[in-house]
Amino acid sequence: MKIARFSRIGFILAAAGSAVGLGNIWKFPYIAGEYGGGAFVLVYLITVLFVGFSIMIAEMLIGYLGRKDTVTSFEELAPRNSGMWKYAGFQALAGLFVMIFYSVVIGWIFHYIVTSLTYLPSTVKEAETTFSAMLHTDFLTQLFYHTMAFSWITYVLTRGIKGGIEKMNMVLMPTLMIILLGMFAYSTTLDTFGKAFEFMFSPDWSKINSEAFVVAVGHAFFTLSLGMGAIMTYSASMEKGSNLVTNAFWVLFLDTTIAIVAGLMLFTFLYQYGAGPAKGPGLVFISLPAAFYEMGIIGNVFAVAFFIALAFAGLTSGVSLVEPMVQYFIDRFGWSRLKASISMGLFFYLIGIIAILSNIDGFKEQLTWGSRNFFDWVDYVTSAIMLPFGGLAMSVFVGFVMEKQRVESILKPHLGFAFEAWYFSLRYIIPVAMFVVMLGLLGILE
Ligand code: PFF
């Protein structure tokens, strides 16, 4: 049987599709706002460049050489203790767990595409009431749109690497970029663009503390889709002879550019028509719709276009969150793609319903433990524990366990003299950084 492989551009768009997600357009602007802008953005950029880039190359390498699902790839590439190392491949589970709440949020976005056609809230207060009514009381709407997100993602997964994942990304990614760039171009014509620019790029170091630092590093990981087996699984279908370094560079470049463009544009709109940089997860669902309202009818057009772009970003990432476990069941248990896709789809879909309920009045009390409800617990466990653990495992694996000669033979031709620097940072700098982040996230998110 001929194995389906991504084309070169197909791989870059699919990996960028994975990276560019709700993290870039929904999360990045609001955490940048929360931690005061400039200094946070700078720490994030430095981390993406130095830590993210190195681990991205390592994760691609494991997939590219392993050619199988994440568990088998670790197992086959480990020269010794393969029985133990294969467990590092279960980082793929983190993606499936993230999907439990990710799909619910994609559902909210679908809902906002539809409502923004005819309605925008006239004040932030009203926007808040609308959002919170949906979140806390409207189970059926959330269920309906969560079902749509599930159906879309599961369908694409059943179509496989070429006919599903590559095809979807080849259409959705360019469309998303065109929408965002169009809106960004418009935002540059507004007076407040300069203010937004200053907010994002002039660092106020007094705002940065160890918490902001840890959050920036954690976010750099999440936004690049690292540590959950997504990039690894896609890389298993990379063309032979690919240049991993330029591929990693492109993914990094697109991911970062889109986050910055989205941030600048959103902050410009919020300065111009709203109340300035909003904080918190309500930024795109609360402050932004109220700002669009002020623009009149063009505001509706912008809102719909914006939520479509956000939905595309979410869907392309969503598929990559589930594909690693789909591949796992195909490779290890001989399941058909159809069976594996539907089973994994149903897994996140059904548990996702509990995540919806954990925000609904009357249910949330039973679904809250300590300071978090079920929805927040899933987010916390995956991003504070599983994700840094995946990153740590990969850097130790490529840095210490795999034969250096093998690593060198693939990467030296592309990294040249920088190879040794990359190898050094993978062995000594990144594991320490990951460990610190893990401790930090566990402590500060309490
Ligand atoms: N990078 C995606 C985002 O920024 O929303 C989320 C994500 C996708 C994380 C796939 C991890 C992953 F494996």
Side-chain angles (χ1 to χ4, degrees):
M1 194 179 78
K2 196 174 171 314
I3 301 168
R5 298 252 157 84
F6 285 116
S7 64
R8 180 171 145 70
I9 179 80
F11 175 80
I12 291 173
L13 284 182
S18 169
V20 176
L22 305 181
N24 299 60
I25 309 175
W26 169 57
K27 208 166 178 188
F28 174 70
Y30 89 70
I31 49 177
E34 215 153 71
Y35 291 102
F40 178 87
V41 174
L42 206 67
V43 173
Y44 158 82
L45 286 177
I46 292 173
T47 317
V48 163
L49 211 62
F50 292 102
V51 182
F53 193 38
S54 300
I55 301 204
M56 170 86 62
I57 294 175
E59 181 162 346
M60 280 186 179
L61 182 76
I62 301 173
Y64 178 76
L65 287 174
R67 294 259 145 227
K68 285 277 171 44
D69 68 286
T70 52
V71 174
T72 313
S73 292
F74 270 103
E75 192 176 52
E76 286 186 357
L77 294 179
R80 51 188 185 278
N81 299 332
S82 57
M84 181 191 95
W85 274 106
K86 77 171 187 212
Y87 290 103
F90 284 107
Q91 59 180 272
L93 273 173
L96 191 62
F97 292 163
V98 166
M99 201 53 201
I100 292 169
F101 68 87
Y102 212 83
S103 169
V104 176
V105 180
I106 297 175
W108 299 347
I109 299 165
F110 282 161
H111 175 56
Y112 270 70
I113 297 177
V114 176
T115 57
S116 303
L117 280 169
T118 52
Y119 163 82
L120 286 173
S122 59
T123 58
V124 173
K125 189 102 206 71
E126 185 186 327
E128 216 170 305
T129 316
T130 312
F131 179 69
S132 128
M134 176 204 73
L135 185 68
H136 299 304
T137 62
D138 199 348
F139 173 71
L140 283 180
T141 297
Q142 292 189 71
L143 180 67
F144 176 74
Y145 289 110
H146 170 55
T147 309
M148 283 188 47
F150 149 77
S151 313
W152 182 315
I153 285 166
T154 307
Y155 173 73
V156 172
L157 287 166
T158 62
R159 309 296 305 158
I161 291 281
K162 272 291 219 215
I165 300 175
E166 175 165 319
K167 208 162 158 189
M168 171 183 71
N169 279 289
M170 296 286 267
V171 178
L172 262 48
M173 286 306 286
T175 316
L176 174 160
M177 290 182 222
I178 291 169
I179 295 177
L180 285 184
L181 284 178
M183 290 178 69
F184 175 72
Y186 177 82
S187 78
T188 59
T189 66
L190 300 173
D191 318 332
T192 48
F193 181 77
K195 227 167 144 184
F197 192 88
E198 195 174 317
F199 178 75
M200 291 244 321
F201 293 111
S202 62
D204 173 358
W205 290 107
S206 67
K207 293 252 175 61
I208 204 98
N209 50 23
S210 59
E211 176 178 326
F213 195 84
V214 168
V215 170
V217 178
H219 182 68
F221 255 74
F222 186 80
T223 186
L224 292 174
S225 293
L226 298 172
M228 297 194 188
I231 296 294
M232 198 183 292
T233 304
Y234 279 4
S235 302
S237 300
M238 214 191 277
E239 275 176 338
K240 282 251 164 61
S242 296
N243 182 338
L244 271 61
V245 179
T246 44
N247 281 356
F249 170 79
W250 272 110
V251 177
L252 214 88
F253 173 77
L254 288 170
D255 187 71
T256 311
T257 311
I258 290 178
I260 302 275
V261 161
L264 279 173
M265 167 190 97
L266 294 183
F267 288 133
T268 305
F269 289 152
L270 290 173
Y271 274 124
Q272 186 89 15
Y273 300 107
K279 299 182 178 131
L283 190 146
V284 303
F285 295 110
I286 298 171
S287 327
L288 194 64
F292 282 139
Y293 173 85
E294 296 296 322
M295 297 165 97
I297 184 76
I298 183 154
N300 288 77
V301 178
F302 271 25
V304 172
F306 173 78
F307 284 115
I308 288 178
L310 189 55
F312 285 3
L315 289 165
T316 49
S317 298
V319 166
S320 80
L321 282 162
V322 190
E323 169 68 8
M325 284 311 287
V326 169
Q327 196 65 49
Y328 169 75
F329 279 101
I330 294 174
D331 286 348
R332 304 283 293 199
F333 294 90
W335 286 13
S336 68
R337 181 163 268 282
L338 186 71
K339 178 176 169 188
S341 308
I342 293 179
S343 312
M344 294 306 106
L346 283 175
F347 178 89
F348 79 73
Y349 175 68
L350 295 175
I351 305 185
I353 296 176
I354 306 178
I356 297 177
L357 285 173
S358 74
N359 283 316
I360 297 283
D361 293 339
F363 290 94
K364 66 171 179 247
E365 296 71 20
Q366 285 93 294
L367 291 167
T368 299
W369 299 276
S371 57
R372 292 187 182 83
N373 65 6
F374 180 72
F375 189 106
D376 295 338
W377 269 112
V378 177
D379 185 8
Y380 174 70
V381 171
T382 47
S383 53
I385 303 170
M386 300 181 84
L387 189 150
F389 187 76
L392 187 65
M394 286 188 298
S395 57
V396 172
F397 186 74
V398 177
F400 292 98
V401 179
M402 281 176 69
E403 291 114 352
K404 183 174 182 191
Q405 195 196 356
R406 191 154 185 208
V407 175
E408 213 169 353
S409 69
I410 303 286
L411 295 177
K412 190 89 182 246
H414 305 303
L415 277 171
F417 68 92
F419 176 81
E420 287 302 333
W422 170 80
Y423 199 63
F424 180 85
S425 88
L426 203 65
R427 297 183 93 173
Y428 301 109
I429 301 176
I430 292 171
V432 177
M434 286 333 301
F435 195 65
V436 172
V437 167
M438 212 147 101
L439 291 183
L441 283 173
L442 282 173
I444 59 168
L445 294 181
E446 263 322 306

